[in-house]
């Protein structure tokens, strides 16, 4: 019998409890890659980024360093905008990435999208010659979150051990487990019907609500473009109509569009789309890039998409 070829993609979760264990688990991953002349990128939250930069010393200049709390603020844009962007910039070469998308201050709104992201990395990178190491703070994160890491990573590692995760599950099935219903908008939400004949009115409506919420002009334009993409998709693919609600909550302006469509592809919006793709498909990709958080709840009975944009504090409002 011929053995099945092993998938070259390696996706371990690193469990650490303090800075010493963090460095013991991450530095060899980086330095081994540099020694093998493999491109290496690091995308972790600011505190850990500074820790690694200091520990790398002169080698820091050979590593692409990103603050994940900035580039990965929206978990839905990490695969296309951070991970695949780095992989595609180095065709034909094995790459290494440290990606830490889950930290203790992630909100309960962000967390389901984070787990979906971690699961779907396995689908996006299946067959690729790459290694993505994902650190988890086992001392600070809730035990349930560590359990979810065991479901989304085929391998678990610490500074001294490595083992196959007995809880690893089908990535698409895990992502579906976090396809969670979203609560109804509050009664104070502003509302407008989405239809074929009122897309210009919807754009004006969103810009006005963004201004009232104190968003900067560039944020208002980005949000208007994102909602216009969602509304156009509703008109084209979801029976022609839907409902848009807009409100502020927890320092964010939130726009929610509900329609009767169904998003069947769990990778929708997470993979780059070729320019000559016959069905377009770039709308959700753009929405993820423009917004601080995108949550999607989709069933055969309908789809709700909720986008968040952080309202700037007063000293930020005159910038850009």
């Amino acid at each position: 019998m011929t053995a099945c070829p092993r998938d070259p993609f390696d996706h371990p979760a690193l469990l650490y409890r303090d800075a010493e264990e963090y460095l013991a688990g991450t530095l060899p991953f980086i330095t081994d890659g540099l020694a093998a002349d493999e491109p290496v990128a690091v995308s972790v939250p600011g505190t850990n980024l500074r820790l690694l930069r200091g520990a790398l010393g002169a080698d820091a200049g050979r590593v692409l360093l990103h603050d994940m709390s900035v580039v990965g603020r929206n978990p839905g844009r990490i695969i296309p905008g951070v991970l695949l962007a780095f992989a595609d910039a180095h065709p034909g070469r094995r790459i290494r990435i440290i990606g830490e998308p889950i930290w203790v201050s992630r909100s309960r709104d962000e967390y389901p999208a984070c787990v979906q992201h971690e699961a779907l990395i396995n689908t996006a990178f299946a067959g690729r010659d790459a290694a993505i190491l994902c650190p988890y703070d086992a001392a600070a994160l809730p035990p349930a979150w560590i359990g979810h890491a065991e479901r989304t990573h085929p391998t678990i590692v610490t500074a001294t051990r490595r083992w196959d995760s007995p809880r690893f599950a089908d990535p698409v099935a895990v992502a579906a487990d976090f396809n969670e219903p979203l609560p109804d908008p509050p009664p104070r939400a502003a509302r407008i019907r989405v239809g074929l004949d009122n897309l210009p009115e919807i754009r004006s409506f969103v810009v006005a609500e963004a201004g009232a919420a104190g968003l900067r002009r560039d944020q208002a334009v980005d949000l208007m473009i994102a909602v216009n993409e969602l509304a156009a998709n509703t008109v084209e693919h979801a029976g022609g109509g839907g409902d848009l609600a807009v409100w502020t909550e927890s320092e964010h302006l939130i726009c929610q569009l509900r329609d009767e469509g169904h998003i069947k592809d769990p990778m929708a919006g997470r993979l780059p789309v070729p320019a000559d793709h016959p069905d377009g498909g770039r709308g959700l990709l753009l929405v993820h890039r423009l917004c601080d958080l995108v949550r999607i709840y989709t069933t055969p009975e309908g789809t709700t998409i909720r986008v968040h944009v952080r309202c700037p504090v007063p000293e930020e409002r005159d910038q850009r």
Side-chain angles (χ1 to χ4, degrees):
M1 177 181 289
T2 302
C4 295
R6 183 177 179 86
D7 190 335
F9 177 52
D10 185 30
H11 183 211
L14 167 67
L15 306 185
Y16 69 94
R17 303 188 69 85
D18 53 33
E20 182 179 356
E21 290 186 2
Y22 190 85
L23 291 177
T26 55
L27 276 179
F29 180 86
I30 296 171
T31 56
D32 288 352
L34 294 177
D37 195 31
E38 296 172 353
V40 180
V42 171
S43 295
V44 300
T47 299
N48 287 339
L49 186 66
R50 291 187 291 273
L51 183 68
L52 277 172
R53 183 184 282 117
L56 284 167
D59 280 339
R62 302 172 59 194
V63 178
L64 180 63
L65 301 173
H66 285 307
D67 186 338
M68 185 64 98
S69 66
V70 177
V71 298
R73 185 168 56 248
N74 172 14
R77 67 172 174 240
I78 299 174
I79 289 176
V82 179
L83 306 183
L84 286 175
F86 185 71
D88 292 343
H90 301 91
R93 301 178 67 186
R94 178 172 177 80
I95 57 124
R96 293 188 182 217
I97 302 173
I98 297 177
E100 188 171 3
I102 296 176
W103 51 88
V104 71
S105 61
R106 278 292 200 184
S107 72
R108 65 180 183 181
D109 287 329
E110 294 170 329
Y111 182 69
C114 291
V115 182
Q116 290 180 319
H117 154 76
E118 285 280 64
L120 294 173
I121 288 175
N122 298 289
T123 300
F125 275 81
R128 283 182 176 254
D129 196 7
I132 300 177
L133 177 70
C134 300
Y136 281 77
D137 187 344
L141 296 174
W145 292 19
I146 303 302
H148 297 151
E150 294 171 345
R151 296 185 67 202
T152 57
H153 295 78
T155 306
I156 309 298
V157 299
T158 66
T160 59
R161 293 181 57 211
R162 180 184 180 101
W163 65 95
D164 292 339
S165 173
R167 300 183 64 190
F168 178 68
D170 175 76
V172 173
V174 174
D177 286 345
F178 288 84
N179 177 38
E180 299 176 349
L182 298 166
D184 290 336
R188 67 179 184 279
R191 300 170 187 268
I192 188 172
R193 180 69 182 166
V194 174
L196 178 61
D197 57 350
N198 71 334
L199 292 182
E201 182 184 358
I202 289 166
R203 293 192 289 269
S204 298
F205 172 79
V206 171
V207 169
E209 292 296 322
L215 266 61
R216 300 187 310 268
R217 178 173 175 79
D218 63 298
Q219 290 180 299
V221 171
D222 285 350
L223 182 61
M224 180 269 291
I225 293 170
V227 174
N228 184 71
E229 287 290 334
L230 296 177
N233 283 344
T234 287
V235 169
E236 183 175 358
H237 301 296
D243 295 292
L244 176 66
V246 182
W247 70 98
T248 56
E249 181 178 302
S250 301
E251 301 179 347
H252 287 81
L253 182 64
I254 301 174
C255 297
Q256 176 182 292
L257 199 154
R258 176 166 177 77
D259 60 37
E260 296 181 358
H262 181 206
I263 300 174
K264 298 179 181 179
D265 182 4
M267 300 304 296
R270 298 178 189 269
L271 298 177
V273 179
D276 59 352
H277 192 277
D279 297 324
R282 284 171 288 276
L284 269 180
L285 195 69
L286 180 61
V287 171
H288 276 295
R289 182 167 66 83
L290 294 176
C291 298
D292 292 327
L293 176 64
V294 179
R295 290 288 308 279
I296 300 173
Y297 174 59
T298 185
T299 73
E301 287 70 46
T303 292
T304 301
I305 301 181
R306 183 174 290 186
V307 302
H308 299 229
V309 175
R310 186 178 71 86
C311 298
V313 296
E315 55 267 27
E316 296 176 326
R317 289 177 182 171
D318 293 333
Q319 299 177 12
R320 296 180 66 184

